[in-house]
């Protein structure tokens, strides 16, 4: 995001359903067989292989938290990415993350908790029925997307470790594997990519731990095997390839806040009234569309406003 570039947004002619019929690893019929098949479906997926993106997730439930806005074409969502570990150009992650190993994948949850745990991705995915939540997602650079993410509330995962009363923040650490991530060079960001939320933000029902999109396991470029989705905050708060979640009593440092504290605040709530030094936040362009639309306070997720009552959101940007 430190790089100045005019947005080059691809128009897409992909029909929303194309991906569903010809995914190479579609688990035939599994979705019709209910929860038991769902579990064995996941076990099938745990064979040590590269690039699981494209594997259909069985048993997905629709969420009433979804927007009814038109979904951004799959092709745009999976070829126009910010994921600096795999290059700073929007087209690079789709290419350079192709052979990224997403299995085995574990997430350690530690810090101020009664029961620290390391959980395998298969165990995490079984904690709750996978939900499809169609969320708006806005990048601070001025583009936005509407994506049917698959996952469930982060709170479901966090409750597993019994957070202590002293815990006030949650820190997310993502994978920093220089052998697999060609973008992991000094001078771009201080690696590994780190993010953070206040505990009440992390427990808010919209905050999602995400392992799929468009009915499939996440493509590598979208953050496989596990990412965060925080729809009322700018995209960079939604860290990809999460391997560790730590409960703390102090506001954690984050990769972007460390790199440019005057540009990227800890909160980073979508706010059309507070411009980024280099990008106006008043309007946005949805990938695949030409005209701009107005950006909404909290990206239109009004239910989170109470988390910030009494706070100066210009100062706490
Ligand atoms: N680990 C990691 N997570 C990341 C980033 C990154 O560079 N590295 N980029 C962020 C930014 S700026 C955005 S806009 C979103 C993009 O998510 P998407 O490619 O799925 O649309 O991922 C966020 N998560
Ligand atoms: Mo972003």
């Amino acid at each position: 995001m430190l790089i100045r570039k005019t947005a080059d947004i691809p128009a897409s002619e992909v029909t929303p359903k194309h991906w569903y019929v010809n995914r190479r690893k579609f688990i035939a019929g599994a979705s019709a067989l209910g929860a038991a098949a769902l579990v064995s479906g996941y076990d099938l997926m745990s064979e040590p292989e590269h690039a699981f993106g494209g594997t259909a997730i069985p048993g997905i439930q629709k969420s009433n938290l979804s927007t009814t806005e038109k979904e951004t074409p799959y092709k745009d969502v999976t070829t126009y990415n910010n994921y600096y570990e795999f290059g700073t150009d929007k087209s690079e992650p789709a290419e350079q993350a192709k052979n990224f190993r997403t299995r085995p994948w574990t997430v350690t949850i530690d810090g101020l908790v009664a029961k620290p745990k390391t959980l395998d991705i298969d165990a995490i995915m079984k904690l709750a029925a996978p939900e499809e939540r169609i969320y708006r997602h806005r990048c601070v650079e001025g583009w936005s997307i509407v994506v049917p993410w698959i996952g469930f509330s982060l709170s479901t995962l966090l409750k597993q470790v019994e957070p202590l009363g002293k815990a006030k923040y949650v820190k997310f650490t993502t994978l920093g594997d220089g052998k697999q991530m060609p973008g992991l060079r000094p001078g771009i960001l201080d690696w590994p990519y780190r993010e953070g939320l206040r505990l009440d933000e992390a427990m808010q029902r919209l905050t999602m731990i995400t392992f799929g999109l468009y009915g499939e396991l996440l493509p590598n470029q979208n953050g496989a095997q596990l990412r965060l989705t925080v729809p009322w905050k700018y995209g960079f708060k939604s860290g990809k390839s999460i391997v560790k979640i730590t409960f703390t009593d102090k506001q954690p440092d984050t990769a972007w806040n460390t790199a440019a504290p005057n540009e990227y605040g800890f909160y980073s709530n979508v706010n059309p009234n507070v411009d980024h030094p280099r990008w106006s936040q008043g309007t946005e362009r949805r990938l695949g569309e030409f005209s701009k639309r107005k950006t909404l306070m909290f990206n239109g997720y009004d239910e989170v406003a109470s988390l910030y009552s009494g706070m100066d959101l210009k100062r706490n940007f």
Side-chain angles (χ1 to χ4, degrees), residues 234-284:
Y234 294 118
F236 65 90
K237 296 297 288 182
S238 295
K240 296 175 174 179
S241 69
I242 289 170
V243 292
K244 196 167 155 181
I245 302 176
T246 309
F247 288 76
T248 67
D249 53 1
K250 287 181 200 69
Q251 184 177 300
D253 63 299
T254 74
W256 280 109
N257 187 240
T258 303
N262 57 323
E263 299 194 20
Y264 308 105
F266 176 78
Y267 284 95
S268 293
N269 293 318
V270 174
N271 187 341
N273 309 313
V274 180
D275 280 341
H276 180 276
R278 287 184 280 125
W279 301 292
S280 159
Q281 300 303 327
T283 61
E284 67 198 59

Side-chain angles (χ1 to χ4, degrees), residues 100-250:
F100 178 53
R101 280 190 301 278
T102 57
R103 299 291 171 123
W105 194 274
T106 59
V107 180
T108 298
I109 315 181
D110 62 5
L112 299 173
V113 301
K115 294 195 173 143
K117 278 184 186 164
T118 296
L119 292 169
D120 189 81
I121 183 66
D122 291 299
I124 291 173
M125 291 199 302
K126 285 173 196 165
L127 289 174
E131 282 173 49
E132 177 187 84
R133 295 193 191 168
I134 307 168
Y135 280 167
R136 288 181 293 277
H137 202 63
R138 191 192 188 285
C139 178
V140 70
E141 294 167 344
W143 47 275
S144 65
I145 49 183
V146 175
V147 183
W149 302 109
I150 316 294
F152 43 77
S153 291
L154 173 66
S155 64
T156 303
L157 176 60
L158 298 186
K159 282 173 191 158
Q160 304 298 312
V161 297
E162 297 175 22
L164 301 178
K166 294 179 281 187
K168 295 284 179 280
Y169 294 89
V170 193
K171 174 172 179 168
F172 303 90
T173 308
T174 76
L175 190 71
D177 181 353
K179 289 206 183 75
Q180 294 199 74
M181 296 169 150
L184 213 79
R185 299 183 309 266
I188 299 171
L189 280 174
D190 176 23
W191 309 105
Y193 193 97
R194 301 162 323 282
E195 258 307 334
L197 293 172
R198 221 169 54 191
L199 187 57
D200 56 350
E201 298 176 322
M203 300 303 276
Q204 213 284 344
R205 63 175 188 163
L206 294 172
T207 303
M208 196 177 176
I209 198 81
T210 304
F211 44 81
L213 48 65
Y214 295 90
E216 311 172 341
L217 288 180
L218 283 175
N220 290 344
Q221 62 269 33
N222 292 95
Q225 193 62 93
L226 201 67
R227 70 171 296 165
L228 207 59
T229 309
V230 193
W232 73 94
K233 291 177 181 280
Y234 294 118
F236 65 90
K237 296 297 288 182
S238 295
K240 296 175 174 179
S241 69
I242 289 170
V243 292
K244 196 167 155 181
I245 302 176
T246 309
F247 288 76
T248 67
D249 53 1
K250 287 181 200 69

Side-chain angles (χ1 to χ4, degrees), residues 44-116:
L44 263 182
M45 296 172 203
S46 57
E47 294 161 41
E49 255 285 354
H50 290 187
F52 279 81
T55 307
I57 300 170
I60 295 170
Q61 329 236 312
K62 304 260 182 220
S63 166
N64 59 10
L65 299 173
S66 290
T67 172
T68 54
E69 282 172 72
K70 188 168 155 280
E71 290 170 17
T72 303
Y74 176 90
K75 182 142 194 237
D76 291 339
V77 172
T78 57
T79 58
Y80 190 85
N81 303 104
N82 269 340
Y83 198 172
Y84 278 16
E85 289 87 332
F86 295 102
T88 53
D89 216 85
K90 301 281 183 281
S91 61
E92 282 180 315
E95 274 301 313
Q96 305 220 48
K98 263 189 186 140
N99 295 319
F100 178 53
R101 280 190 301 278
T102 57
R103 299 291 171 123
W105 194 274
T106 59
V107 180
T108 298
I109 315 181
D110 62 5
L112 299 173
V113 301
K115 294 195 173 143

